[in-house]
Amino acid sequence: MWPMLYPIIIIVVSNILYNVCTKSTPSEVNAFGALTITYLVAAAVSFITFFITSKDKNIITEFSKTNWTSFVLGVVIIGLELGYILAYRNGWAMNTVSVTANITLAVALIFVSMLFYKESITVKQVAGIVLCAGGLVLINI
């Protein structure tokens, strides 16, 4: 049970802190300036943690194992961060922006998984999409 639970705990705690930090980013700072600091810290922590957790300690070997996904993910993460910063700066409340984004994401991923990964859609998922749509209406009116 623990292997299924602890990643979710990490995600939830990280998302709480993420939203608190993002909403607290000073409005007078250039978003890309703030993100530069964010990712310099993230790079340093990742670099140090690699050496703590890796058995062979050869980061060049690990770099050679990567593909296009690491590069695209770097760009995508900037879009994610920027989107939240701009949402908060444009007046979204913390208690609705994340729910709205995550419900929209969950529904979109159902279709992405069907198109690109040949996963099927169930009647339960269709019902979930309908409920999510209703929830989005209710929390945003």
Side-chain angles (χ1 to χ4, degrees), residues 2-106:
W2 181 245
M4 295 293 286
L5 188 58
Y6 85 87
I8 301 302
I9 292 170
I10 291 171
I11 291 168
V12 170
V13 170
S14 295
N15 264 296
I16 290 168
L17 294 171
Y18 166 85
N19 279 281
V20 168
C21 291
T22 305
K23 186 161 178 72
S24 301
T25 299
S27 60
E28 60 274 357
V29 68
N30 179 290
F32 293 106
L35 288 173
T36 299
I37 293 170
T38 299
Y39 284 98
L40 286 172
V41 171
V45 170
S46 294
F47 187 77
I48 291 165
T49 306
F50 170 81
F51 287 104
I52 292 170
T53 62
S54 177
K55 290 179 184 166
D56 66 5
K57 313 284 190 233
N58 189 338
I59 200 161
I60 302 302
T61 300
E62 292 306 310
F63 286 171
S64 71
K65 295 176 187 177
T66 63
N67 63 7
W68 61 270
T69 58
S70 295
F71 299 97
V72 173
L73 187 57
V75 174
V76 168
I77 289 173
I78 295 298
L80 179 72
E81 307 290 350
L82 181 63
Y84 272 98
I85 289 171
L86 295 176
Y88 286 131
R89 286 184 179 177
N90 287 307
W92 278 84
M94 188 184 291
N95 63 1
T96 56
V97 71
S98 185
V99 173
T100 301
N102 283 309
I103 289 173
T104 305
L105 171 65

Side-chain angles (χ1 to χ4, degrees), residues 80-137:
L80 179 72
E81 307 290 350
L82 181 63
Y84 272 98
I85 289 171
L86 295 176
Y88 286 131
R89 286 184 179 177
N90 287 307
W92 278 84
M94 188 184 291
N95 63 1
T96 56
V97 71
S98 185
V99 173
T100 301
N102 283 309
I103 289 173
T104 305
L105 171 65
V107 171
L109 284 176
I110 290 172
F111 296 104
V112 168
S113 70
M114 285 174 38
L115 290 170
F116 297 105
Y117 298 100
K118 307 300 183 227
E119 296 176 7
S120 59
I121 187 167
T122 66
V123 173
K124 287 182 192 177
Q125 288 172 318
V126 172
I129 290 169
V130 171
L131 288 172
C132 285
L136 284 174
V137 170

